[in-house]
Amino acid sequence: MKTIDQCNFKDKKALLRVDFNVPLDKEFNITDDKRMRAALPTINKILNDGGSVILMSHLGRPKGGPEAKFSLKHILGDLSRMLDLEVKFSTDCIGQEATDKALNLVPGQVLLLENLRFYKEEEEGNKEFAGKLASLGDVYVNDAFGTAHRAHASTSIVAEFFPTAKYFGYLMAEELKNAEKVNHHAVKPFTAIMGGAKVSDKILLIESLLDKVDNLIIGGGMAYTFAKAQGGEIGTSLLEADRMPLCLELLEKAKLKGVKIFLPLDTVIADKFDNEADKKTVNTGEIPQDWMGLDIGPKSIELFSEVIKNSKTLLWNGPMGVFEMDNFAHGTRAIVDAVVAATQENDAFSLIGGGDSAAAIAKFNMEDKVSYVSTGGGALLEYMEGKELPGVKAINS
Ligand code: AMP
């Protein structure tokens, strides 16, 4: 793997793609800086070599032009504090200001460019735009795993301008190492735990996992489509009716491949989508009309926990219920505890997919007690589906 360890950055300007797409509150305070902290080792390596760093990132989903609320200026103060130096800022990621500020950088300095997605050319993967970004640096480094599944100008196309001077940053290398370990070298028994809202988002992943795992646990909102497909009553729970035949097909395929599927035995139901709703526990497939399933029940927790605790490799993507509401977070919390127990007591390797699973692990302060929490949601899913990520291919080719 071509990592920055193979480069001495002395007197070089590194054009570094990071994923600083961090959540901000209404006053633009960062509510979770994990992604920024994760990029610090790469930045520091370049600076310690005697190089300078030009940081590029996106933030939020601007509609193709500048929008103050999505300015990366909001994170400048925190970034400067984290690096213990004054990070410079260019209010445009290309053009005269960016060119001048990049030109004037001296070793040891860091320049942050304004949000790349203020140009629609970024997401279009426009080559001319990528060329303008490329002109700012001597070496290209990609440390943005969270956007590695996108063929955008800054994540993929820009690498074409650095045929011999392109590298993975430490975060990318670590993410790929851990994903690879689970995808291709999993110690058995290998259990995947799938949850979250929609079956449709995870079908490809489930299909590809059937060739690798011994056990597949399915919980969260997506389990109700399975329950309905099997003839159960699910009240007003989440349902993707058009996916019901596919659910049955997946169950059939699992049987043929010898994969054990574990679906919830019981479910915690609510009379409305509210933390303070009336709630009770019923068997799967016996949800009364006008009630909705928002969490897995105690019998499911016991069953799932047992399977997890006996596993040697664990991949978890998606919560077991609406964990954002404390009264419906018990199932997700119990799964976190089981994954932690397997990791600590059974020496299992546990990889937690980004997105909501990472948020759940963080909510329960268990990030340090599992093997690895990925910073990539979609990127990790696509990697696990067996797709070649454009951001990875661009460095490897
Ligand atoms: P995903 O992004 O697909 O992993 O979905 C995560 C979201 O699914 C979280 O915001 C959860 O609140 C939500 N979720 C999980 N279980 C349920 C459920 N039973 N009903 C509604 N939403 C759910």
Side-chain angles (χ1 to χ4, degrees):
M1 197 187 288
K2 273 181 78 179
T3 76
I4 48 171
D5 277 334
Q6 289 155 41
C7 180
N8 185 336
F9 288 87
K10 186 160 173 43
D11 296 327
K12 296 217 162 67
K13 292 184 172 125
L15 185 64
L16 172 56
R17 177 57 157 104
V18 287
D19 184 356
F20 284 176
N21 183 27
V22 290
L24 300 172
D25 66 16
K26 286 198 193 86
E27 275 83 46
F28 302 113
N29 299 305
I30 300 169
T31 54
D32 180 1
D33 64 3
K34 180 174 161 43
R35 285 179 162 181
M36 289 168 70
R37 281 185 283 117
L40 297 181
T42 295
I43 299 173
N44 284 324
K45 142 81 180 164
I46 298 165
L47 296 179
N48 291 338
D49 272 3
S52 54
V53 180
I54 301 159
L55 292 169
M56 28 179 205
S57 179
H58 71 285
L59 176 67
R61 292 174 186 267
K63 294 179 187 67
E67 286 178 62
K69 67 177 172 184
F70 294 126
S71 172
L72 278 165
K73 204 160 194 175
H74 301 308
I75 69 158
L76 194 60
D78 285 280
L79 183 62
S80 296
R81 273 188 290 282
M82 281 179 189
L83 287 166
D84 199 19
L85 52 79
E86 198 182 314
V87 176
K88 299 176 185 305
F89 187 71
S90 171
T91 60
D92 196 344
C93 62
I94 54 169
Q96 202 57 53
E97 184 189 351
T99 305
D100 291 345
K101 288 192 170 160
L103 210 62
N104 290 328
L105 271 190
V106 298
Q109 291 186 330
V110 179
L111 168 67
L112 174 66
L113 303 177
E114 183 54 288
N115 196 339
L116 294 159
R117 291 197 190 165
F118 286 175
Y119 287 87
K120 64 178 183 346
E121 288 84 350
E122 161 65 358
E123 289 182 82
E124 288 168 359
N126 181 291
K127 193 156 178 176
E128 199 184 323
F129 176 71
K132 289 180 184 165
L133 292 171
S135 70
L136 302 174
D138 308 312
V139 182
Y140 172 65
V141 180
N142 191 350
D143 214 17
F145 184 70
T147 38
H149 56 318
R150 308 283 184 216
H152 292 172
S154 70
T155 59
S156 153
I157 315 302
V158 70
E160 293 172 24
F161 295 87
F162 300 91
T164 56
K166 50 184 182 175
Y167 301 92
F168 292 117
Y170 290 137
L171 173 63
M172 272 284 243
E174 195 62 18
E175 292 272 5
L176 293 171
K177 191 183 86 187
N178 287 305
E180 158 95 14
K181 185 168 172 166
V182 168
N183 216 13
H184 299 296
H185 309 286
V187 179
K188 299 203 151 227
F190 177 8
T191 300
I193 311 152
M194 295 285 115
K198 289 186 177 171
V199 193
S200 49
D201 288 347
K202 316 235 163 127
I203 281 166
L204 290 175
L205 176 63
I206 293 178
E207 284 211 292
S208 98
L209 285 173
L210 289 180
D211 288 323
K212 296 170 194 145
V213 299
D214 303 290
N215 307 305
L216 178 61
I217 293 174
I218 297 175
M222 71 159 91
Y224 302 99
T225 300
F226 280 88
K228 179 92 176 166
Q230 291 177 308
E233 294 299 332
I234 63 163
T236 56
S237 307
L238 278 185
L239 171 67
E240 287 175 281
D242 57 331
R243 303 295 164 151
M244 291 197 304
L246 199 83
C247 289
L248 296 177
E249 218 176 278
L250 286 174
L251 295 177
E252 201 50 42
K253 271 192 195 162
K255 208 185 279 171
L256 289 174
K257 289 177 192 271
V259 174
K260 287 198 199 107
I261 299 242
F262 296 89
L263 285 156
L265 302 172
D266 53 358
T267 180
V268 179
I269 57 172
D271 62 350
K272 53 180 186 267
F273 192 80
D274 189 323
N275 189 46
E276 305 309 325
D278 271 348
K279 56 176 187 153
K280 52 187 174 186
T281 303
V282 297
N283 288 331
T284 294
E286 295 176 12
I287 302 180
Q289 265 184 3
D290 301 329
W291 287 70
M292 62 182 84
L294 295 185
D295 197 5
I296 55 171
K299 284 192 273 182
S300 315
I301 289 177
E302 203 184 321
L303 172 71
F304 293 178
S305 300
E306 195 57 28
V307 177
I308 292 167
K309 285 180 189 165
N310 288 316
S311 301
K312 283 288 183 194
T313 303
L314 293 159
L315 170 67
W316 181 31
N317 191 287
M320 293 292 107
V322 186
F323 76 100
E324 297 92 337
M325 298 184 199
D326 286 345
N327 286 337
F328 301 99
H330 301 295
T332 302
R333 169 75 218 216
I335 295 310
V336 169
D337 288 344
V339 172
V340 167
T343 313
Q344 305 286 326
E345 291 155 28
N346 196 32
D347 213 14
F349 182 81
S350 49
L351 174 61
I352 315 302
D356 281 302
S357 323
I361 285 270
K363 176 175 168 137
F364 303 126
N365 280 322
M366 290 289 181
E367 282 166 302
D368 298 338
K369 299 205 163 51
V370 292
S371 305
Y372 194 71
V373 182
S374 175
T375 55
L380 183 70
L381 292 190
E382 291 199 17
Y383 180 90
M384 291 289 167
E385 284 165 17
K387 290 187 189 146
E388 191 172 29
L389 306 181
V392 174
K393 188 177 172 197
I395 303 279
N396 281 337
S397 56

